[in-house]
Each structure stands twice: as C-alpha cells, then as structure tokens.
Amino acid sequence: MEKRLIVQKFGGTSVGSVERIQRVAERVIKTKQQGQQVVVVVSAMSGETNRLQSLASEVDSLPNARELDVLLSAGEQVTVALLAMTLHKLGYKATSLTGWQAGIITDDRHNQATIKSIDHDKFKTLLNDDQIVIVAGFQGMNQNGDVTTLGRGGSDTTAVTLAGLLGADECQIFTDVDGVYSCDPRVVDSAIKLDSIDFSDMQAMAKHGAKVLHLPCVEFADRYNLDVRVLSSFSPLQGTLVTRLPSRASVCGLALQREVYRIDLAPLKADAIVAQCQLLGVTLHWHSGSVVAVDSNDVSKLLQMLQQDIIDVAPVSTLTVVGAELDELYQKVQMQLLENDIKVLDSFRCDRVVKLLLLPEHLDRAANFIHAQYIELSHYVAKDKKELIL
C-alpha cells in the first residue's frame, strides 16, 4: 500500500532553541513511525528574521530588495540544518534543502514573491529513499537564479504550496497557539478556539490582520481544496481545521491591525498615488476617498517619494469583523462604541467584512466590547441550543 504523505510546518517559536528543535524532531519521528512519508517546512528561529531586518536597516533605511532577500533567507538555512542534524543523531535519514535546492521557483517580485513551481523529482527521489525532507520555508529563487522571499509568514505558504503540488494527504501547520481563535487571546481573554473555519472567513481574517496563517497560504489551500489543520507544537489538542465546509457562525471573528498609519492625501492626487502604491508594492489596509492607511514600515517610503502630496500622517488601528450576518452589527456598532467612549474614525462594509478605523488606544477596548456583544453571546446561545437538541 502506498504511504500517505504528510507536510508539517513549524514556526519560529516552535524551533526557537536547540531544545525545541529536539522536540520538533521527536514529533516528526512520531509521524514517520506511523508509516508515513514526511516533508517538514521550518521558519527561522524566533527573533532571527527581525534581527536580520534590523541589521539591514542600520545599513540603509530602504535596503536594496534583492540583497534584502539574500540576507533574510539566511535565517531558515540555520534551522533546516539544525533539524537535520538532530534527526541524524536520533538515527533517522534526513536531508535539508534551501528553497533553491528544493527547486522552488518564484516570480521576480523580491520580498513578496509567489511560488510558480517546484522540483518534483528532487522530492520523489528523497522520499523514495525513505528520507525525511526538511525544506527552508519563506524562500525560493526566480528564473535568473536570484534568491527571493515570500513575505512575512511565507513559511505557511511554502508548506501549503508543497502539500498541494506534491499531492500530500494532509498539511499541518504547527504554531505557538493551539488553533484559530475568534480574536487574539492576548487581547480578548474570552476568545473562543474554533473547531473549524471555512476558507473565505479565514482569508478575510488573514487579510485584515489575524496572524495565525499567511494569506497566500489560505488562498492556495482554497484553490486546491486542501484542508489545513492548525496545531500547537506545545499541546496535544486537535487544533482548528481550515476547510471548504461553510461556516455557520453569523459573526466568525475579529482581526486586529496595529502599527498602521492613516495618511491624508491631496484630493486631486489621491487616485494617482493609490495606483503608484500598488506599483511600489505598498499594501493599503484602508482606502476611502483621499485617505489611505499603510503599515508603519511603508510610511517612510511614501513620505520620501510623495512628501509634497501628503497633508497629514497619524497612527491608527483597524478592527475587522468577519462573518456571514453583519447587517445588524454595522447599523448599531458605531453608536454602541461611542456610548462606551470609543470613537470610530471611519468605517466600511463589504461582503463578509465590517472594518473600523480607530485610535490606537481604543483598539483593545473595542475588540473586547464587540467580542462580548456579537461573538460570545451568539456562541453560547448556539451551544445551548445544540445541547438541548442532544
């Protein structure tokens, strides 16, 4: 009988020390001992990418994109080698591969590349030799042989893309949390762990600030109908299944974005500037009339290039509500927040999303209020109904 292929991804916290890499190796071995082929994708050790980014910033506030990719890709190379060494020591055959050794070909967009293809033969040869294949996440190379990276959270994308292109039976994403929550549990103590979430809601959560899964990873899983399970490296719980099956929650969850800046543009130049942002690879978290909101690391880039067309810059935060039934919330929430001394600077509604622009100091209070009013109450009502039926 043909062996099942499992792709497992371990994030930076999971491989943050030699001791943790040892535990990852033991978990990989357990999967291998179940008679399955295993491909492992790892991130850089926690804090390493930030350290490398900081070094680049000391040299140049706007470093060359190609050279930045060369630098940042070094973090994952350390992790794959250490994990392979650990597996060797424990008596298992393993081979570590950088993105380019794995034949991961991307487009030419440095710092935000997209995977186009992989070297199937390389993986097939190693797996048929009963090896555990360890791949550096977050990276690949373009057609010119230049190193490219996939953007923050890109190891998730590497794992799901490999799982899809290799025809894996399952993709498991191991993180420092035990699944996908209705809101960041560090902000909302009563956040609810979701047993499952559908692709569309997970995409909306990821796009608007939820950090558990990288957006391109969810998009790829949706395209290939590949179920992804989010698990904790430190817990035996079953985690959250990201799947095509539709969600029944009227309000699924909240996504938060900090370190965002609101930029007021000269009205006559706004449309041209928005188009220019897209060409520059600047992500707009907000665009309403002559107002945009961007990440803090993009502010200096825009100020440097468009200073004469920028009227004002101010720190803000965004809170995005994701769900299937948001009409009532959108009609009431701004007044409800104002009654609690939380002012909504701006808002918009589209499809399964309501997005609010807030002062940074109001974000956590707003998240706790909305979660209590629109998620916890409906969750416990639904739970009570289910128990009555049973």
Side-chain angles (χ1 to χ4, degrees):
M1 188 175 77
E2 189 173 341
K3 292 182 178 179
R4 295 177 77 240
L5 173 60
I6 305 297
V7 174
Q8 296 181 323
K9 179 263 177 179
F10 294 89
T13 307
S14 303
V15 294
S17 66
V18 170
E19 292 75 22
R20 288 186 173 180
I21 289 173
Q22 172 83 22
R23 289 201 289 271
V24 166
E26 291 167 358
R27 189 179 280 267
V28 171
I29 288 170
K30 185 177 180 181
T31 305
K32 181 70 174 171
Q33 288 174 337
Q34 293 169 351
Q36 300 173 126
Q37 295 180 321
V38 187
V39 173
V40 184
V41 175
V42 293
S43 301
M45 299 171 77
S46 54
E48 183 62 11
T49 303
N50 285 340
R51 185 185 73 85
L52 295 172
Q53 182 76 60
S54 179
L55 287 173
S57 298
E58 287 183 32
V59 174
D60 187 347
S61 60
L62 292 173
N64 177 273
R66 179 189 182 278
E67 303 310 327
L68 184 61
D69 276 351
V70 173
L71 177 66
L72 297 184
S73 66
E76 283 73 17
Q77 189 166 331
V78 172
T79 317
V80 292
L82 289 174
L83 180 55
M85 291 175 190
T86 305
L87 288 165
H88 293 160
K89 183 180 178 181
L90 295 171
Y92 284 81
K93 292 198 293 185
T95 297
S96 66
L97 301 173
T98 62
W100 45 99
Q101 287 174 326
I104 297 174
I105 305 300
T106 73
D107 59 18
D108 293 327
R109 191 180 178 193
H110 285 290
N111 311 152
Q112 291 287 338
T114 299
I115 296 175
K116 297 298 185 183
S117 64
I118 63 169
D119 186 347
H120 288 78
D121 291 339
K122 182 85 170 185
F123 285 91
K124 185 177 180 180
T125 299
L126 292 170
L127 291 170
N128 287 343
D129 188 38
D130 205 31
Q131 301 229 23
I132 297 168
V133 184
I134 308 163
V135 183
F138 174 67
Q139 61 186 247
M141 68 175 180
N142 62 22
Q143 293 288 351
N144 298 322
D146 294 327
V147 177
T148 55
T149 64
L150 311 181
R152 281 302 179 96
S155 293
D156 289 346
T157 302
T158 301
V160 172
T161 304
L162 285 178
L165 296 180
L166 292 172
D169 295 281
E170 189 171 331
C171 183
Q172 302 170 346
I173 305 291
F174 290 87
T175 70
D176 55 350
V177 295
D178 58 353
V180 179
Y181 279 75
S182 53
C183 190
D184 187 339
R186 293 168 296 185
V187 175
V188 176
D189 291 338
S190 55
I192 299 163
K193 186 177 77 68
L194 308 175
D195 293 331
S196 65
I197 181 172
D198 65 35
F199 289 129
S200 59
D201 283 350
M202 190 67 248
Q203 285 183 59
M205 294 278 282
K207 180 179 180 181
H208 295 285
K211 305 294 185 186
V212 180
L213 287 176
H214 191 220
L215 176 59
C217 141
V218 187
E219 292 172 338
F220 187 93
D222 186 12
R223 192 180 317 134
Y224 282 82
N225 194 24
L226 175 70
D227 285 356
V228 176
R229 190 171 291 279
V230 181
L231 301 149
S232 169
S233 301
F234 314 109
S235 166
L237 298 177
Q238 287 300 304
T240 300
L241 184 68
V242 184
T243 178
R244 176 164 291 182
L245 297 175
S247 170
R248 296 180 180 177
S250 55
V251 182
C252 173
L254 310 179
L256 314 178
Q257 288 172 314
R258 304 178 192 274
E259 298 183 4
V260 176
Y261 280 79
R262 169 182 171 147
I263 300 177
D264 293 314
L265 304 170
L268 296 177
K269 299 287 188 70
D271 290 342
I273 291 172
V274 168
Q276 195 166 356
C277 285
Q278 293 170 345
L279 292 174
L280 292 170
V282 172
T283 300
L284 298 181
H285 298 301
W286 189 279
H287 174 213
S288 177
S290 59
V291 175
V292 297
V294 300
D295 287 332
S296 56
N297 57 353
D298 284 325
V299 172
S300 57
K301 184 188 295 186
L302 293 180
L303 284 173
Q304 194 173 50
M305 302 186 66
L306 307 167
Q307 190 170 14
Q308 67 278 10
D309 299 318
I310 291 176
I311 297 171
D312 187 41
V313 177
V316 291
S317 294
T318 69
L319 186 158
T320 303
V321 188
V322 177
E325 300 174 16
L326 301 177
D327 289 340
E328 181 182 351
L329 180 147
Y330 189 56
Q331 292 167 8
K332 294 182 176 181
V333 74
Q334 293 191 54
M335 184 60 68
Q336 290 173 326
L337 289 173
L338 191 59
E339 290 170 355
N340 286 271
D341 298 320
I342 300 170
K343 182 181 179 183
V344 176
L345 302 176
D346 205 347
S347 68
F348 74 77
R349 164 83 194 275
C350 67
D351 195 19
R352 300 167 71 93
V353 162
V354 167
K355 192 159 189 172
L356 309 176
L357 200 65
L358 304 164
L359 293 172
E361 60 267 28
H362 289 167
L363 180 63
D364 289 4
R365 281 203 297 127
N368 277 275
F369 175 83
I370 294 173
H371 192 276
Q373 291 293 314
Y374 292 98
I375 296 180
E376 288 173 53
L377 286 177
S378 62
H379 172 78
Y380 290 116
V381 167
K383 186 178 178 181
D384 290 343
K385 285 182 179 178
K386 183 178 180 181
E387 288 175 353
L388 284 172
I389 293 170
L390 294 175

